Amino acid sequence: MLRFALTRLVSTVLTLLASSFLIFGALALAPGSPLAALSGNRPLTPEQVAALEERYHLNDPFFVRYVQWVSDFVRGDWGISIVQNDTVANLIGARIGTTVTLVLYATILLLIIGLTVGMLAAVSGPRVQAGVTAATTIALATPPFFYALVFVSIFAVGLGWFPVFGAGEGVLDRIWHLTLPAFALALSGCALISRIVRNSVTEELGKEYADVARARGFRESRVLGRHVLRNALVPTVTIAGLTVAALFADTAVIETAFGINGIGQLLASSVLAKDFAVVQAITLLIVFVFLATNLIVDLLYRVLDPRMSKAVVA
């Protein structure tokens, strides 16, 4: 297990380095000079030009600048926002708590609804399964921003049950404010998880070991809970991990739609303002979250089914 974990950790670090090279390389490939990209083509005084050239080592060769950027990033120095006149670390640090809370809320909804609907569909009749298939197809085909518009129109503006904008203050107020954004963020993932769970549970229920358990007199609920569910969770964990990691990227749309001052809204506004240093930092953080989630999923995969270790390493 330790050897497997170390192998996956090294692979994750190498992938993160390759991703950081691509993200940093985008600055060199941007139209115009790196200085123009960093400043968003804004007029600069000679003092500001000199400060940017010194700060980002713009007079050094490309690979020297890349190594310096990675070194600074690891030390927590993520650059300076030209637009907001503040360090990128301060801007992200002030917002990351809101985004993490939103993603955790959406993850809880995603797992509870996805697992419950998937298992009910697997043990129900053809009509229920057809209804779940139709509902999940619609949910998968609907983008999160559409959910946001519908929820705001019906539950916030129409019925007045939830606030329209903001993340709230305090625990209960924050949960109240983030309920609609969390549902909008989670619904597509719920549909995907429920389909995976339904297919996995249906397949496992038809296997020989489940028939043997029934023949020994176990009730169907015990066969499902004690024998089937663990095997059915193996493919579900993989899909759930990737889905949760993708939620961080989707916050750019949801936080903008609900006026939530989080990382996603900061990314969206920075892209529009051509605030390159902020975009670079948030993009690399999202890549880090995605790779870290994959690493955790692979480790869970091995714990749930040790027989898959060789396949996972390969």
Side-chain angles (χ1 to χ4, degrees):
M1 181 67 181
L2 181 59
R3 181 179 178 183
F4 170 76
L6 289 175
T7 302
R8 286 292 295 114
L9 181 61
V10 170
S11 173
T12 299
V13 172
L14 292 177
T15 305
L16 184 60
L17 282 175
S19 301
S20 69
F21 184 80
L22 293 176
I23 292 170
F24 185 80
L27 177 64
L29 295 175
S33 65
L35 181 63
L38 286 168
S39 65
N41 290 317
R42 293 172 181 79
L44 299 173
T45 64
E47 291 77 14
Q48 290 174 319
V49 171
L52 281 176
E53 288 178 341
E54 181 182 359
R55 175 66 182 77
Y56 292 99
H57 308 275
L58 297 182
N59 295 321
D60 293 333
F62 173 79
F63 284 102
V64 175
R65 282 188 279 133
Y66 167 69
V67 171
Q68 188 64 49
W69 179 70
V70 171
S71 176
D72 290 342
F73 199 93
V74 172
R75 294 200 307 268
D77 183 359
W78 299 344
I80 298 173
S81 167
I82 301 296
V83 176
Q84 305 198 44
N85 194 28
D86 197 355
T87 66
V88 177
N90 284 342
L91 293 173
I92 293 177
R95 295 164 173 79
I96 195 166
T98 301
T99 298
V100 170
T101 303
L102 174 61
V103 172
L104 284 177
Y105 195 172
T107 299
I108 292 171
L109 295 175
L110 183 152
L111 294 177
I112 292 176
I113 297 175
L115 289 172
T116 303
V117 173
M119 290 178 63
L120 287 176
V123 299
S124 300
R127 290 186 177 179
V128 175
Q129 292 196 8
V132 170
T133 300
T136 54
T137 300
I138 295 172
L140 281 171
T142 306
F145 74 85
F146 184 78
Y147 292 130
L149 294 176
V150 172
F151 289 168
V152 167
S153 300
I154 297 176
F155 299 107
V157 177
L159 299 174
W161 291 352
F162 296 95
V164 178
F165 298 110
E169 298 290 339
V171 177
L172 294 179
D173 191 45
R174 177 149 296 194
I175 291 174
W176 184 42
H177 276 76
L178 294 183
T179 294
L180 292 185
F183 270 98
L185 192 61
L187 277 183
S188 295
C190 288
L192 181 60
I193 296 297
S194 65
R195 280 197 167 196
I196 299 298
V197 171
R198 182 198 62 186
N199 293 339
S200 299
V201 171
T202 301
E203 182 180 349
E204 295 296 328
L205 284 173
K207 289 187 175 178
E208 185 177 351
Y209 74 87
D211 293 334
V212 171
R214 295 189 189 97
R216 292 175 61 187
F218 293 151
R219 289 180 299 180
E220 193 67 18
S221 58
R222 187 173 181 181
V223 174
L224 178 64
R226 185 171 180 176
H227 300 280
V228 169
L229 191 56
R230 176 177 176 133
N231 293 331
L233 283 178
V234 174
T236 305
V237 166
T238 302
I239 300 300
L242 297 176
T243 304
V244 170
L247 293 180
F248 279 93
D250 290 340
T251 56
V253 174
I254 296 302
E255 289 182 354
T256 301
F258 286 94
I260 297 172
N261 194 23
I263 298 296
Q265 188 190 52
L266 177 63
L267 175 62
S269 61
S270 298
V271 170
L272 293 175
K274 298 180 180 180
D275 200 349
F276 215 91
V278 179
V279 175
Q280 276 184 322
I282 295 179
T283 304
L284 187 55
L285 285 176
I286 291 175
V287 172
F288 171 76
V289 170
F290 192 84
L291 293 176
T293 305
N294 272 338
L295 175 62
I296 295 171
V297 165
D298 282 350
L299 295 177
L300 285 176
Y301 208 82
R302 184 183 171 92
V303 171
L304 288 171
D305 190 355
R307 296 170 301 174
M308 300 300 294
S309 60
K310 292 183 179 180
V312 172
V313 171

